[in-house]
Amino acid sequence: MLEITSQNFETEVMQSELPVLVDFWAPWCGPCKALGPTVEKIAVETEGKVKVAKCNIDNAPDIATRLSIMSIPTLLVFHKGEIAAQLIGLVQKDKVMDKLRPYL
């Protein structure tokens, strides 16, 4: 899975031809750890159609600030450089897929 950093955010997310699902998380966050396997399953199921990435907010606080990430886990769907959908908290896979479906 792609790791989003301050260095690659613009090219990997904002300039991506594919829709991008970014999981904003931190290693100390229990719900973030619980969401991880769900995000990994989505990455496998949508390979080639959606770019799935993780962004550790401890390592990239500038991105979290720029996007006004106030709580984690937060999932953002980017389409053509814009935030197209947002999910906050520990969500089920079907809810994430519902947000991605228009871009598949």
Side-chain angles (χ1 to χ4, degrees), residues 1-21:
M1 191 170 320
L2 179 64
E3 180 67 32
I4 296 300
T5 65
S6 299
Q7 290 74 34
N8 70 3
F9 178 75
E10 282 298 320
T11 54
E12 294 292 352
V13 177
M14 301 306 284
Q15 299 171 10
S16 176
E17 294 294 320
L18 292 174
V20 186
L21 173 67

Side-chain angles (χ1 to χ4, degrees), residues 93-102:
K93 181 178 165 232
D94 61 337
K95 291 191 179 197
V96 180
M97 292 305 293
D98 286 345
K99 296 288 187 183
L100 286 174
R101 203 159 278 116

Side-chain angles (χ1 to χ4, degrees), residues 20-99:
V20 186
L21 173 67
V22 183
D23 175 12
F24 293 88
W25 72 288
W28 46 264
C29 168
C32 298
K33 289 181 183 178
L35 185 62
T38 300
V39 174
E40 290 172 17
K41 285 178 190 169
I42 291 168
V44 170
E45 290 179 18
T46 62
E47 188 173 356
K49 298 176 192 163
V50 174
K51 190 184 293 186
V52 179
K54 294 177 81 68
C55 181
N56 180 338
I57 64 163
D58 288 344
N59 295 339
D62 56 313
I63 297 172
T65 300
R66 173 179 169 183
L67 299 173
S68 300
I69 304 292
M70 301 302 231
S71 59
I72 53 172
T74 291
L75 298 175
L76 294 180
V77 177
F78 291 84
H79 184 248
K80 298 182 179 177
E82 300 287 328
I83 296 172
Q86 175 177 326
L87 293 155
I88 298 172
L90 182 56
V91 293
Q92 294 183 344
K93 181 178 165 232
D94 61 337
K95 291 191 179 197
V96 180
M97 292 305 293
D98 286 345
K99 296 288 187 183

